[in-house]
Amino acid sequence: VIQRFDWEKMANGLWTVLLSSFVLAQCQVKVMTPSWLVKEFSQNHGRIMGSTATFGAPFYGERVWGRLVYGRSAKNHHCTEDDYEIPPLSLMKAGESGYNKIRLINIVMVRRGNCSFTHKVRIAQDTKDAHAVIIIDREDSDFTAESLANIIVADDGYGDGIHIPSVLISKEDGRRLIEAVERPQVQVVVELAWDLPTDQVVTMDMWMSSASIESNKFLKEFAPKRRVLNEVMIFNPHYAVFSMEKGNPEVYSGVCLGNEPRFCAEDPDGAGTVTGEEVLMEDARQLCIHDRTKVKRSSLEDLMSGKHLVEYAAKYWDYMEKFLDRCPLDGTGSAKFGIECSEKVMREVQIDPTEIEECVRRRKETILQHELDNPAWSPRAIRINGWRYSGMLEADLVVRAVCSGFIHMPAECNQLYQQRDVFRPYVVQKAGVSLGELFGWLLATIALGFVCMLLYKRYLKKEMRTTLREEVMLEVQAQMGEYAQLRGA
């Protein structure tokens, strides 16, 4: 893969990528009605191809219908809330109770320009009731529908709050859609789909850095799901390695292996103590762990039927779940990112550190050369069945994409996620106490309190009886004492 960055376009969130082996994350927009508009796109059977943004949450595994809406920009290219208005949501009466229900999702169209993609999509999501956004290229753009296939719609760094999908399409396709939507009494309905290449076994490749907090957080959340998919999915880890031109050693000192510019990695903590060279060594250790601990999960019957060989490295995932928690970048002593802490974690998950260090010693240059020769379009990237994944780096969303890559979805996928409500923004399910669990704990607390009150009530009754009995006995004894004295007189 050769990356070509146009820095002027990158400032607007566009990355141009020349590809030799990756299939880009394209959304298929299919016009469903009206029929005359379908005929205008008859060359592609009503389909419009678009480039999916790297932020937000595409409807993986779904085929979602929606109505297109468009409001002409007053002056700010759809960059502010008051710049445009869209028609109200179409409603229908559903059920005997007659409650209102949205019939189709709301797909808002906006024009590219003047502000970042993430800003436009956030305005549509937060203020225009958008369930998805189609961004139409600028009128002065040179991109065609074909060349947009090589475009990455990048996040500007503020895409975390976006939970709906967005797609960039060509100005020609967009112009026809706008003209149709603006006709009176015409409702344009389209289908959104993200069709991955399918196979009997899904292959997932992930590029990362061993020092990346974001990547390690994802792997920790993804590990339980990977265990469920251990017989049906191939996982190939890759690490971001680059080289530099030979020159002033001060430029690449601490960033590259052995102070030579052949193998280099990003410095994860700037002025901190962890170096790019330490990151490269940990990258090599993790690749050795994966290679040395993976075991065959495919049966002979599967292999005979033509399925790919599936291997699963359980101890690699055990290690990755713990590594950056035990060995943070800002740690101290033996609890800091580096070989000493790495070996402690290996022993904790029952990996032989001696075997791994021998692998690193003998093969580190071969390993790093392989990573250098096989980069991705980004230092943090995922490819599924050769298809570039786009969207939030969230375990649940990636699993949805993985499961949509099977020819026949296996039972394992049914355990991992529930059908998504396309009318609601995608919300990441974080580990925590659910409403049901909270209600259960509340009932248990009330029940425990009730039992404690009963026990306390019984205790009080017993104490009162004892106290009354003692008082009565004292009174009787006192009266008997007076009586005895009278008899003696």
Side-chain angles (χ1 to χ4, degrees):
V1 182
I2 302 171
Q3 296 189 61
R4 185 184 72 200
F5 296 100
D6 183 325
W7 295 104
E8 182 180 352
K9 290 173 182 173
M10 185 177 171
N12 292 320
L14 279 182
W15 290 6
T16 303
V17 181
L18 298 180
L19 299 171
S20 61
S21 60
F22 295 120
V23 179
L24 282 175
Q26 291 186 316
C27 171
Q28 174 183 290
V29 182
K30 184 178 181 181
V31 179
M32 309 304 293
T33 63
S35 58
W36 56 263
L37 184 60
V38 176
K39 291 178 181 177
E40 288 194 25
F41 294 96
S42 59
Q43 186 176 358
N44 294 316
H45 305 286
R47 294 178 176 85
I48 303 166
M49 301 309 295
S51 183
T52 305
T54 60
F55 52 88
F59 300 121
Y60 288 119
E62 310 274 356
R63 307 191 80 82
V64 182
W65 284 35
R67 66 155 193 168
L68 294 183
V69 292
Y70 179 73
R72 284 200 173 270
S73 167
K75 58 180 179 179
N76 290 323
H77 292 78
H78 302 102
C79 289
T80 60
E81 178 182 351
D82 59 0
D83 184 57
Y84 67 105
E85 296 293 334
I86 61 171
L89 296 171
S90 58
L91 300 173
M92 64 177 290
K93 297 293 183 180
E96 294 180 1
S97 60
Y99 61 88
N100 286 332
K101 181 179 179 180
I102 299 174
R103 184 159 55 96
L104 299 165
I105 70 166
N106 222 27
I107 305 173
V108 175
M109 295 188 293
V110 297
R111 280 280 187 187
R112 176 190 162 206
N114 275 36
C115 60
S116 69
F117 292 116
T118 53
H119 186 77
K120 287 180 188 291
V121 175
R122 184 180 291 106
I123 292 292
Q125 171 189 272
D126 295 345
T127 69
K128 307 300 179 184
D129 295 316
H131 302 110
V133 175
I134 292 178
I135 304 165
I136 299 166
D137 202 10
R138 293 194 307 251
E139 283 295 337
D140 61 351
S141 172
D142 295 328
F143 291 120
T144 63
E146 292 74 23
S147 61
L148 277 178
N150 295 332
I151 292 298
I152 293 177
V153 182
D155 189 348
D156 65 357
Y158 298 94
D160 290 348
I162 295 175
H163 305 286
I164 62 174
S166 53
V167 181
L168 175 66
I169 67 172
S170 71
K171 62 186 180 184
E172 292 84 3
D173 292 336
R175 191 183 303 124
R176 284 186 280 183
L177 292 179
I178 290 174
E179 289 173 357
V181 167
E182 290 187 326
R183 289 192 184 188
Q185 305 301 316
V186 171
Q187 179 166 260
V188 179
V189 176
V190 301
E191 178 189 74
L192 299 181
W194 282 263
D195 292 330
L196 279 71
T198 57
D199 205 338
Q200 292 176 315
V201 170
V202 169
T203 300
M204 174 177 164
D205 293 85
M206 180 174 177
W207 282 260
M208 56 191 148
S209 166
S210 58
S212 167
I213 295 174
E214 180 188 21
S215 297
N216 278 271
K217 175 179 175 290
F218 168 79
L219 289 172
K220 186 175 181 179
E221 294 173 353
F222 188 71
K225 303 176 187 297
R226 173 69 182 108
R227 291 188 181 99
V228 175
L229 296 168
N230 75 86
E231 293 185 357
V232 294
M233 189 188 88
I234 299 167
F235 178 82
N236 298 316
H238 303 275
Y239 292 81
V241 178
F242 61 91
S243 61
M244 301 176 69
E245 291 185 6
K246 195 171 182 66
N248 185 359
E250 292 183 3
V251 175
Y252 43 79
S253 176
V255 177
C256 303
L257 187 66
N259 290 330
E260 291 292 328
R262 182 182 173 191
F263 304 120
C264 310
E266 60 182 308
D267 187 331
D269 59 352
T273 58
V274 179
T275 66
E277 183 171 12
E278 288 179 295
V279 173
L280 287 168
M281 294 302 292
E282 179 60 30
D283 291 346
R285 274 193 291 275
Q286 291 184 8
L287 285 166
C288 279
I289 290 171
H290 188 269
D291 182 65
R292 290 291 189 270
T293 63
K294 63 185 178 183
V295 295
K296 187 187 301 182
R297 300 297 297 170
S298 298
S299 67
L300 181 60
E301 182 181 350
D302 287 339
L303 296 175
M304 292 286 287
S305 67
K307 289 185 179 181
H308 299 297
L309 173 65
V310 176
E311 295 176 312
Y312 174 56
K315 291 184 179 179
Y316 169 84
W317 290 97
D318 294 341
Y319 178 88
M320 297 305 295
E321 281 183 299
K322 299 177 184 294
F323 174 68
L324 215 56
D325 287 341
R326 301 284 198 277
C327 312
L329 299 175
D330 58 354
T332 57
S334 61
K336 172 194 165 188
F337 187 98
I339 184 171
E340 185 178 359
C341 188
S342 172
E343 290 182 348
K344 285 175 60 178
V345 178
M346 284 188 228
R347 284 189 284 269
E348 185 180 343
V349 298
Q350 300 181 335
I351 297 172
D352 182 5
T354 305
E355 181 185 355
I356 301 304
E357 288 309 314
E358 177 63 17
C359 169
V360 172
R361 185 187 65 79
R362 288 189 300 102
R363 300 190 58 234
K364 65 175 178 290
E365 291 197 1
T366 303
I367 289 170
L368 295 176
Q369 185 64 52
H370 180 269
E371 300 308 299
L372 182 64
D373 294 340
N374 294 276
W377 55 93
S378 166
R380 315 283 180 268
I382 292 176
R383 184 178 68 185
I384 299 172
N385 286 351
W387 184 92
R388 177 177 64 81
Y389 169 84
S390 278
M392 305 160 69
L393 188 61
E394 294 291 344
D396 176 81
L397 194 63
V398 172
V399 165
R400 291 173 187 272
V402 166
C403 288
S404 68
F406 289 100
I407 295 174
H408 303 291
M409 187 180 292
E412 287 88 342
C413 287
N414 296 327
Q415 304 175 35
L416 295 177
Y417 68 87
Q418 296 178 343
Q419 188 171 2
R420 178 176 167 183
D421 184 351
V422 298
F423 294 106
R424 295 179 179 273
Y426 175 79
V427 178
V428 180
Q429 298 297 321
K430 298 294 185 184
V433 179
S434 67
L435 183 62
E437 290 173 329
L438 181 63
F439 187 65
W441 278 107
L442 184 61
L443 285 178
T445 303
I446 293 172
L448 181 62
F450 183 71
V451 171
C452 290
M453 288 179 64
L454 287 177
L455 293 174
Y456 184 62
K457 184 178 179 181
R458 290 181 61 184
Y459 169 77
L460 285 177
K461 284 183 176 180
K462 184 178 179 182
E463 284 294 306
M464 288 177 66
R465 289 195 190 101
T466 302
T467 301
L468 286 171
R469 189 180 298 114
E470 289 176 351
E471 288 179 353
V472 169
M473 290 301 296
L474 288 172
E475 182 67 25
V476 170
Q477 288 174 3
Q479 292 181 5
M480 290 295 292
E482 291 176 4
Y483 179 73
Q485 289 172 7
L486 288 171
R487 283 184 62 190

